[in-house]
Amino acid sequence: MDFSSLKGSELGKLVLSSGLLHSSWNKISELRSSRAHQVQTPGLGIKIFQETKYTFVVFVAPSINATCPLNSASTLLSGAQDQNPFHFLCSEKISSFSLHTPAFQLFVSAYKNNLLHLKSKLLHLLESNKHVIITGAALGGSVASLFTLWLLEKVEPRLKRPLCITFGSPLLGDASLQQILENSLRNSCFLHVAYASQTPINTDFKPFGTFLICFDSECICIEDPEAVMELLGGASAVDQIDYGRVLDRLDRTVMEDSRLMIDDVITRMEERAEKKKLRYDQLKKLNDIKISMIYIEWYKKKSKMSRVGYYDRFKTHLASSASPFDVDIEKRKTEVNDYWISLVEEVEKKPQSEKSVLKTRSLFSGNNYRRMVEPLDIAEYYYNGGRKYRTSGRSRHYDMLEKWFREGNPKEPLRGKETDLSELLTFDSCFWSEVEEALISINELKKTQEGEREVLLRKLVRFEEYVWERISKREVSPEIFLEKSSFMKWWKEYKDVVKVFGSSSPSELTKFMNDRKYESYGQAC
């Protein structure tokens, strides 16, 4: 079974009933007693236990009392690969995080000499479909967690993921690391066994993974980090806890039948779980969003029938009373925007190495949304008096969707001369903002003195070149040539500008428009 596919409560029940917790603790106790480990590093003990079904990797470390007071320092790590062995955890929004210094120092001390070899060996075991359990207690558990995070970077999605089990270990990372892992598949690979009143806590560090929190006669298995912080009491003498005895007091009936009646904690957990459910249900909601996209697409087709285009129809709707259908489209635009803004924010929080999992599933949907809906946002932006949309008004989520689509090397729709472009969405979703800026330039040109016209004329020439490049590449929708469109309004006014200020040799766009070739643009030959 792949441990990473289990929910927190299921994972707790599984390991409690399977004997994994007892086996892990017994091996930790054995290594602590003998210190006859296979790989010896000052301060850190490591031993591999091969069994028929499982391979256990055990880490032991010096006493927390001696090396790790509760006010231990933290080490800040950034995205630089040469300075941060965990650089792959950094996301686009979170470029740095802090780790518990004693644990990080122990990890680094064994990093090049012993852990590289151990990593290679475990990856080979995982390739052969073996279950790998990485475990440790107290500070040894913290190093085990770091090693697991480091190992997971190279574990391919098709393989079983290792399970890291710790006992009474201090919290390992700050709020930034918690946020990164909360949005990561890696979070499900950690089970932390903690005695409620005897596990050291420091408010500068935050929990991640699943916690099996033990009390005198009962336990609770939770993933909610805030509830974990509320339930852990904290103490420094954790190395002296015999988790073998703690586990002996727990049986399956505790997990299956008893409930820890801490009403305020449970209530807050449920509230946070509901918010988290809404946040992580984005991909499921994508199917509902597609319905709204269908309505917007139908709005586009109806507008085309009126020879106006959906961009200009929406702009007209904002300026005057419109039909209920127009009002409904405005609501649907808001709905799909909220969905994609939220989804992009979640993707940006993910570690760099995991973003592609989400992007692949929604890459084309996101690109279609951007090209379909952003023009409506542009219409609203300029209706409200905005200027320079591309640099000053564009929402970040559009920038990211466009960036991810380009990085994915997608196949664009065929658009050769033999292809009908009637359903094509203009590739540059900011096209209409360029049209609006060109219209503004023409209006300003009418009011300026002769010495100030040169800058505006250069802007108009650049826009003309921009449009012609996209027409030549067949990257614009034929809708821009509808008689009531803002683009055609610009062209009619620009013709007069060309007559007065243009050169004697007409541009390619001027010839294309004057010869009315735009009337057949997008038609299959």
Side-chain angles (χ1 to χ4, degrees):
M1 180 179 291
D2 185 355
F3 297 115
S4 65
S5 66
L6 299 171
K7 296 180 179 178
S9 59
E10 295 171 339
L11 180 59
K13 290 179 182 180
L14 172 68
V15 295
L16 195 62
S17 62
S18 68
L20 281 178
L21 295 183
H22 284 281
S23 295
S24 298
W25 179 254
N26 289 339
K27 290 170 176 56
I28 292 170
S29 299
E30 178 182 337
L31 182 55
R32 277 180 164 178
S33 298
S34 66
R35 292 289 282 178
H37 38 273
Q38 295 176 344
V39 182
Q40 295 191 2
T41 303
L44 185 65
I46 308 170
K47 185 174 181 178
I48 298 176
F49 293 83
Q50 294 277 12
E51 296 187 350
T52 304
K53 190 173 182 181
Y54 300 105
T55 295
F56 290 84
V57 181
V58 180
F59 288 79
V60 298
S63 168
I64 284 181
N65 285 332
T67 64
C68 183
L70 288 180
N71 61 351
S72 295
S74 60
T75 299
L76 180 66
L77 300 176
S78 65
Q81 184 171 352
D82 58 337
Q83 300 175 359
N84 179 9
F86 304 97
H87 62 92
F88 53 87
L89 291 175
C90 295
S91 66
E92 293 192 28
K93 276 201 167 183
I94 305 174
S95 59
S96 63
F97 55 88
S98 294
L99 293 177
H100 185 227
T101 297
F104 181 65
Q105 288 177 340
L106 278 172
F107 175 85
V108 170
S109 70
Y111 172 60
K112 291 184 178 179
N113 294 329
N114 301 312
L115 297 186
L116 284 170
H117 175 71
L118 179 61
K119 182 180 187 179
S120 176
K121 183 172 184 177
L122 294 184
L123 287 173
H124 178 72
L125 287 172
L126 292 169
E127 285 279 356
S128 60
N129 212 31
K130 298 289 185 181
H131 289 292
V132 173
I133 310 297
I134 302 169
T135 189
L139 191 55
S142 298
V143 180
S145 294
L146 286 177
F147 176 77
T148 304
L149 284 174
W150 186 54
L151 174 67
L152 284 168
E153 181 204 7
K154 298 298 183 182
V155 178
E156 297 179 12
R158 62 183 177 83
L159 302 178
K160 287 183 171 66
R161 291 174 179 267
L163 173 64
C164 179
I165 301 175
T166 71
F167 296 86
S169 296
L171 301 181
L172 184 59
D174 64 358
S176 294
L177 180 64
Q178 179 196 71
Q179 189 176 2
I180 291 170
L181 292 176
E182 185 181 21
N183 296 281
S184 169
L185 298 172
R186 298 175 175 90
N187 202 44
S188 60
C189 298
F190 296 87
L191 177 66
H192 307 289
V193 182
Y195 199 82
S197 61
Q198 297 293 315
T199 299
I201 59 171
N202 182 330
T203 54
D204 292 334
F205 297 101
K206 305 298 179 184
F208 62 85
T210 301
F211 275 74
L212 182 65
I213 299 180
C214 307
F215 297 82
D216 288 340
S217 59
E218 54 192 351
C219 66
I220 182 171
C221 194
I222 54 176
E223 295 173 306
D224 186 302
E226 293 182 45
V228 170
M229 293 295 287
E230 291 178 28
L231 291 173
L232 293 180
S236 59
V238 294
D239 278 0
Q240 299 176 23
I241 295 178
D242 184 350
Y243 275 92
R245 293 184 179 181
V246 173
L247 296 174
D248 287 340
R249 293 201 298 266
L250 304 177
D251 57 34
R252 293 181 63 184
T253 59
V254 174
M255 291 297 301
E256 293 171 352
D257 301 323
S258 64
R259 295 290 183 269
L260 189 63
M261 302 305 293
I262 306 177
D263 294 338
D264 57 338
V265 173
I266 298 299
T267 299
R268 286 193 292 273
M269 280 178 58
E270 291 173 349
E271 291 172 352
R272 290 191 292 266
E274 191 62 32
K275 291 178 182 177
K276 190 173 181 180
K277 178 182 177 183
L278 291 173
R279 188 168 75 247
Y280 281 99
D281 204 27
Q282 298 295 339
L283 284 174
K284 182 180 178 183
K285 190 181 177 184
L286 179 58
N287 291 328
D288 298 330
I289 293 301
K290 286 179 180 178
I291 296 175
S292 288
M293 288 295 295
I294 290 171
Y295 274 90
I296 295 173
E297 188 172 350
W298 177 238
Y299 179 78
K300 181 176 181 290
K301 290 181 178 179
K302 283 191 66 175
S303 302
K304 185 178 178 181
M305 295 174 190
S306 303
R307 308 291 298 165
V308 65
Y310 80 119
Y311 172 80
D312 288 283
R313 174 170 175 169
F314 191 78
K315 192 164 64 169
T316 302
H317 148 64
L318 293 171
S320 61
S321 58
S323 69
F325 186 42
D326 291 285
V327 175
D328 180 63
I329 291 302
E330 188 172 0
K331 293 178 180 178
R332 292 186 182 278
K333 177 180 81 72
T334 301
E335 179 186 16
V336 295
N337 276 343
D338 289 345
Y339 165 78
W340 282 105
I341 289 170
S342 177
L343 185 60
V344 168
E345 287 176 351
E346 291 303 320
V347 174
E348 285 192 287
K349 293 175 186 175
K350 283 183 171 291
Q352 297 282 356
S353 54
E354 289 184 20
K355 285 192 308 177
S356 59
V357 175
L358 183 57
K359 286 196 304 182
T360 300
R361 297 177 64 181
S362 55
L363 197 63
F364 284 93
S365 295
N367 192 58
N368 185 65
Y369 149 77
R370 176 178 61 83
R371 290 176 175 174
M372 177 80 75
V373 177
E374 188 170 11
L376 304 184
D377 282 339
I378 292 170
E380 187 170 356
Y381 180 79
Y382 282 95
Y383 170 74
N384 290 324
R387 292 286 302 271
K388 299 180 179 179
Y389 171 84
R390 196 186 287 270
T391 57
S392 302
R394 196 183 197 200
S395 171
R396 175 180 171 80
H397 81 288
Y398 285 131
D399 285 326
M400 299 313 299
L401 287 172
E402 184 172 6
K403 174 177 178 283
W404 293 336
F405 186 74
R406 285 199 310 267
E407 290 174 350
N409 295 317
K411 290 184 178 180
E412 293 282 12
L414 296 174
R415 54 189 193 280
K417 291 184 178 180
E418 70 284 355
T419 305
D420 182 1
L421 302 183
S422 59
E423 300 302 320
L424 182 77
L425 291 169
T426 298
F427 280 22
D428 183 2
S429 54
C430 290
F431 175 84
W432 290 107
S433 70
E434 301 294 341
V435 174
E436 295 288 354
E437 292 296 325
L439 284 169
I440 290 171
S441 294
I442 284 183
N443 289 332
E444 291 179 347
L445 189 63
K446 296 174 183 177
K447 305 172 186 176
T448 56
Q449 300 298 319
E450 184 174 348
E452 301 172 345
R453 291 172 183 164
E454 191 62 30
V455 173
L456 294 171
L457 288 171
R458 282 201 299 269
K459 285 184 179 179
L460 289 169
V461 170
R462 283 198 298 269
F463 174 68
E464 181 184 355
E465 293 170 348
Y466 160 85
V467 172
W468 178 243
E469 181 181 357
R470 276 140 191 82
I471 292 174
S472 301
K473 293 180 178 179
R474 294 169 67 85
E475 291 182 354
V476 292
S477 167
E479 286 187 17
I480 72 169
F481 301 116
L482 292 174
E483 59 183 303
K484 298 178 183 178
S485 78
S486 292
F487 175 78
M488 293 303 288
K489 177 184 176 182
W490 168 82
W491 168 247
K492 289 170 187 175
E493 296 195 30
Y494 184 61
K495 277 196 304 184
D496 295 333
V497 172
V498 171
K499 289 177 183 178
V500 177
F501 303 104
S503 65
S504 57
S505 176
S507 67
E508 293 297 324
L509 179 64
T510 298
K511 289 188 286 186
F512 177 82
M513 298 299 292
N514 285 340
D515 294 344
R516 305 185 72 86
K517 291 182 179 180
Y518 63 85
E519 293 179 348
S520 60
Y521 171 82
Q523 297 177 7
C525 296

